[in-house]
Amino acid sequence: MLKEKLNEDLKKYMKEKNTLALNTVRLVIAEIKNKEVEKNSEITDEEILQIIRKQIKMREDSIQQFRSANREDLANKEAQELEILKNYLPEDLTDEELDKIIQETIKELNASSKKDFGRVIKEVIQKVQGRADNKKISELISKKLG
């Protein structure tokens, strides 16, 4: 489904002659094809989301490096590509929803100390499926188990 949306958007950006968005989507589609060749089968939407998240992380790192090198023009281009990629991600969880998931997981696992951190974070990350930043999850769990 996500792959189809990417292909539809590719056609749309071609018609609009939006080269920035077109190149960004092309890059993601190329990554998807590489992964499919590597696996020798179709990939799932979850795997496509992983590819998109990886691309987003790369853009964020690039923006940081370009800004530190005073290349605001390149940083802005990366920021625009970042926004295009974020359109394909599912809605992020609110702080309340994330907090509730963490509380429930801690109760389920009977976690009570920092020793349980690894088990809790693994379970929470699996439950949220990329709809929240892992750093944020880690900080919240640390506070609760601290």
Side-chain angles (χ1 to χ4, degrees), residues 116-127:
D116 301 314
F117 181 85
R119 288 186 337 186
V120 174
I121 196 163
K122 182 180 174 189
E123 194 69 29
V124 171
I125 288 173
Q126 201 170 30
K127 286 181 181 179

Side-chain angles (χ1 to χ4, degrees), residues 7 39 46-47 58 86 145:
N7 283 320
K39 264 184 78 174
E46 189 55 45
E47 290 170 306
M58 287 170 48
K86 282 185 176 178
L145 293 177

Side-chain angles (χ1 to χ4, degrees), residues 7 18 38 42 51 60-61 64 69 94 99-100 105 108 111 114 117-118 120-121 128 138 145:
N7 283 320
N18 183 344
E38 188 180 300
E42 290 277 318
I51 290 170
E60 289 169 343
D61 292 343
Q64 202 172 23
T94 63
D99 201 45
K100 185 179 174 198
T105 306
E108 284 171 21
K114 285 270 189 196
F117 181 85
V120 174
I121 196 163
V128 299
S138 176
L145 293 177

